[in-house]
Amino acid sequence: MWIAAMLLYVFSDAPADTGLRRLPFETHQLANGLTVILHEDHSTPIVTVNVVYRVGSRDESPHRTGFAHLFEHFMFEGSPNAPGNTFDRLLQEAGGENNAYTTLDYTSYFETLPAHQLELALFLEADRMRMLDFSEENLANQRAVVQEEYRQSYLNRPYGQAYLRILPLAFRVHPYRWPTIGATLEHIAQATLEEVKEFFFRYYRPNNAALIIAGDIDPKQVKELVARYFGDIPRGPELVRSYPEEPPQEEERIETFYDPASPLPAVLYAYKIPGVAHPDYPALEFLTEALAGGKSSRLYQRLVYEKQLALNVGAYTLETVDPGLLILQVVAAPGKQLEDVLPALEEELERLRRDGVTAEELEKIRNRYETQLYQGRQTTRGKADELARAWAQLGDPEAVNSRPMDYLRLRPEDLQRVAQRYLVPQRRSVLRYLPGSDKAGE
Amino acid sequence: MKPARWAAVLGLALTGCVPPVLQRPESSPMNAMRPPAPAPPRPVRLPEIHEDRLPNGLRLYTLTQPEQPLIYLNLSLLGGRSVEQPEGAADLVAQLLPEGTQKRSATELAHDIERLGAELRASARPDAISISVSGLSRFALELAAILAEVVLEPAFPEQELERVRMQRLGQLEIARQQTSFLASLATTRLLFGSGHPYNRVTDEEALRSLRRDHLVEYWRRWFRPDNAFLIVAGDVRPEQTRALAERFFGSWFAPPQPLPHPELPRQEPRAGLYLIHRAGAVQSTVRVAQRGIAASDPDYVPLQVMNTLLGGYFGSRLNMNLRETKGYTYGAFSLLDARRLDGLWVASAEVRTEVTDSALVEILAEIRRIREEPISAEEHRNVINYLAGSFVMDLETPAQIASLVQDQLILGLPRDFFAQYRDRILEVSREELLRVARRHLDPNRLLLIVAGDRERVRPLLERLGTVEEVRF
């Protein structure tokens, strides 16, 4: 039994002011609360199945950080009708690729495979949503694997600890204060099977998930398959979530971290910004483009080309549901100190607040945004992921069509306004990431 | 997340790469049901590639896929790093092409490309230099004009060369802190040895000694229409490709002198156990490597299947053993890197320091096992169906298909190579897998290469044999 919530049809006529193409889809909900989103595309004989759960590292206990990600690994360790490594083995034999990723807010699982193999992916995703093989041995193995992932991606890599350091500096109360990989290796090493079970039956339930199927499908036939495989998975508890609210930041925070494995000085500026659904968010994303998007961006031109003070520059937002961060990062050029770099960086930020962006600059950013949007929509995986994120972060898959409009309609004064409001020193946390070791021995 | 598919472990280019400071990363009727069996792979229809040629010898390839309003143009020149003189020249030619032309400065070029929302990339690989531009198809004309200007009228400005030299030295300084980079560097140097066209690394010495005239000389010699091909893919028709090519590349001149070919010395590297020190490393990078085959070798396809089974996918023996059974690593892989003239095979894993020797022992055991024990029917079926079935996923975007066409041309593969590819994979038998493993994997020719903390790793390695410490 499924309840048709709404059906959306393809509108070939896009809004006149941008000429943006629609991403067509239809959606319905099963009686157990599972949201189903279908996108039909017959241009390649491929299908992507994406199951996204609204649970991320913000849902962890402060004593068990990194747990949502460890749990994601455990999801591949076997389910009642696909024991051991059956999940991977069958999908491989079907010519499919599969993976998953965990963020601060949600966890996404996906398999991309030849379209005629769709039913296998639905069976496997339904089986592991219904129940897992809670085995002590599998948990022990994945605890080890995730600790190696931690070492490989964060501890044994130049600048790898910047992310681990900037979050607890910027957030003091909200669970965004620890990274998805976990605050420490110990938290991962201590996770128990009991905790895994509890997490599963609380969060990994159909009423906390969406199933997205994108590609070469017949929606009518797919709806029947979905009802058959997912229809009788029991609902979980109604989740009432509340996260401790981060108090407003009143003054600049500065921390220095020494890392002998990162030979050139670097700096991170993390500005407090609202979450992805906020009206100011699109303008903030465009500001990251103005500052560091491509070689023609302001910081790249000034710090890398003109002054040769920096090796590289970067800017991006943490895409978070709750208020998050806009991060600027600069790695100094060989022979330069942070003291050489920072004045020019501050000047560029001041110039942005004072003069805003030009009409030509905004047109460039719009064109880059549009290109990237279409590039993401070249694959069934990209389209499924876009729909999954719209549901998980913005609560509505239709955001894939409405939200880009908010970006393309931005005016230069919008960018200047958010620059003046958010890119100010009292809202930021500064991580000075220096080579060598702390002489003071702190 | 599982590790992404093999990023080329020997990717020593580091061109314009940003160091990753941060990454973006009951009961029911269903019980006791059997999973639906995977259906057999379906034939794959390769999209039609339209071929054409200009009078000056420039080959044109068009792939029409208008689903998204995007266009991708790629111009490649054969030779690449294998013909560079001195070391690093091709690498820096590629990096400096987007940094200024006779008409536009580096800054103007960056603004003019990005204003269109487009991206220009140039890179040198062992056998070719490729310059590509991708963007919205409504700007096709402007994009083609920029591509041609960059290729035909580069300026190689002195000041940009100095800036790039400084940046690359900084990137190397960072890269040298990474055990994976040090292991890659050692693999290239030890495996190919002096005088081999694939023994190419743009290291500090190369960066310091390269001059502008080296770049100009490389460009003069290798940038000619009869040594090039242009692939245009996406929202574009063959007649558009022809018109764009005639307009922008039509007067490109092919000089009369023939193109030289690189020499290929056949000296064998010294097998052994090599250690590269990296103080304070919390993990070691372990590599087991040997010389491999050129892509034209008749065993290329069966050897690819053999390598996939051994270390080329998540379900491979190496990954199942070192990650899923032992928990030594986040991922263990192997790579068959077959190039135009020669190639290599390498197995790799990043492991916690205390199991450095155990990881090597397991890799060697898997090499022994694949040469000695028959492969089960189930494992054989799993790997050939995986490769044949997933091939369709390499054909999803215009840029992906363009990259297959590019590989076929650069590696000198037969024209129908990718059209036949799926069927050839499905024909590879269990006996053939055993045959190519025995023929091409040789326990006596293996180089064991470890990058890690000498103090902690050396005592472990000495249990396995004589350790030779190296620096590059």
Side-chain angles (χ1 to χ4, degrees), chain B residues 134-184:
Chain B
S134 60
L136 298 161
S137 50
R138 62 174 183 260
F139 299 131
L141 192 70
E142 293 92 328
L143 298 178
I146 288 172
L147 178 65
E149 193 180 313
V150 161
V151 170
L152 304 179
E153 304 172 81
F156 302 118
E158 283 284 4
Q159 68 190 58
E160 303 304 339
L161 172 60
E162 290 315 311
R163 183 178 53 76
V164 165
R165 195 193 309 269
M166 176 273 292
Q167 279 182 284
R168 290 292 296 271
L169 286 167
Q171 286 166 357
L172 265 179
E173 207 180 331
I174 293 169
R176 283 192 177 277
Q177 296 295 325
Q178 294 176 269
T179 52
S180 56
F181 173 82
L182 296 172
S184 294

Side-chain angles (χ1 to χ4, degrees), chain B residues 283-304:
Chain B
Q283 278 182 322
S284 303
T285 296
V286 297
R287 295 265 163 92
V288 175
Q290 67 163 78
R291 284 274 275 282
I293 55 162
S296 54
D297 192 294
D299 284 343
Y300 182 38
V301 173
L303 204 56
Q304 271 191 328

Side-chain angles (χ1 to χ4, degrees), chain A residues 21 43-46 69 72-73 76-77 80-82 85-86 88-90 92-102 110 112-114 116-117 119-120 123-124 126-127 130-131 141-142 144-145 148-149 151-160 162-163 166 201 205 228-229 232 234 260-264 268 293-297 300-301 304-305 308 310-313 315-317 319 327 329 331 333-334 363-364 367-368 370-371 374-375 377-381 383, chain B residues 1-5 17-26 28-42 65-70 95 98-99 106-107 110-111 114-118 134-136 138-139 159-160 162-163 166-171 173-175 177-179 235 278 280-284 313-316 320 323-331 350-352 354 378 381-382 385-387 389-390 392-393 395-400:
Chain A
R21 298 191 185 188
S43 62
T44 50
I46 297 172
H69 169 249
E72 176 227 299
H73 275 245
F76 292 89
E77 296 298 298
N81 298 297
N85 68 348
T86 304
D88 280 309
R89 203 171 40 77
L90 290 178
Q92 282 158 3
E93 195 176 319
E97 298 284 356
N98 76 80
N99 215 327
Y101 65 92
T102 308
F110 51 92
T112 300
L113 61 174
H116 67 291
Q117 311 274 17
E119 189 172 350
L120 175 65
F123 173 94
L124 291 167
D127 205 56
R130 188 180 309 276
M131 181 61 86
N141 171 266
Q142 289 308 306
V145 169
E148 291 318 310
E149 181 180 359
R151 291 187 179 103
Q152 185 175 326
S153 304
Y154 297 90
L155 304 180
N156 208 39
R157 169 179 289 183
Y159 309 100
Y163 186 61
I166 194 76
F201 289 112
R205 298 292 86 215
R228 187 188 326 155
Y229 283 115
D232 64 347
S262 304
L264 302 172
L268 271 77
K295 287 180 177 175
S296 66
S297 63
Y300 204 90
Q301 280 294 319
V304 179
Y305 270 109
Q308 300 192 11
L311 194 65
N312 63 53
V313 297
Y316 51 90
T317 55
E319 296 173 36
I327 297 177
Q329 59 190 46
V331 178
E363 189 204 357
K364 171 188 80 171
N367 280 336
R368 282 172 64 86
E370 199 183 339
T371 308
Y374 290 136
Q375 278 172 342
R377 292 181 183 184
Q378 290 185 102
T379 62
T380 59
R381 181 178 154 187
K383 288 186 281 194
Chain B
M1 189 137 189
K2 303 165 179 174
R5 248 195 200 182
C17 77
V18 178
V21 173
L22 292 176
Q23 306 119 297
R24 292 262 202 179
E26 285 140 78
S28 82
M30 284 268 299
N31 270 354
M33 271 184 66
R34 294 172 62 88
R42 284 185 187 169
Q65 269 200 337
E67 282 78 28
Q68 300 295 340
L70 299 170
Q95 207 175 338
E99 301 294 339
T107 294
H111 279 290
E114 291 173 2
R115 187 172 50 82
L116 306 172
S134 60
L136 298 161
R138 62 174 183 260
F139 299 131
Q159 68 190 58
E160 303 304 339
E162 290 315 311
R163 183 178 53 76
M166 176 273 292
Q167 279 182 284
R168 290 292 296 271
L169 286 167
Q171 286 166 357
E173 207 180 331
I174 293 169
Q177 296 295 325
Q178 294 176 269
T179 52
D235 184 15
R278 158 65 172 84
V282 298
Q283 278 182 322
S284 303
Y313 72 143
F314 188 82
S316 71
M320 285 294 121
R323 169 178 157 140
E324 293 297 292
T325 306
K326 303 280 193 319
Y328 289 165
T329 178
Y330 180 43
E350 320 272 310
V351 303
R352 64 179 170 275
E354 49 275 27
E378 188 193 14
R381 194 185 65 234
N382 195 272
N385 284 351
Y386 165 74
L387 277 172
S390 61
V392 69
M393 260 104 71
L395 306 170
E396 203 177 359
T397 71
Q400 281 177 306

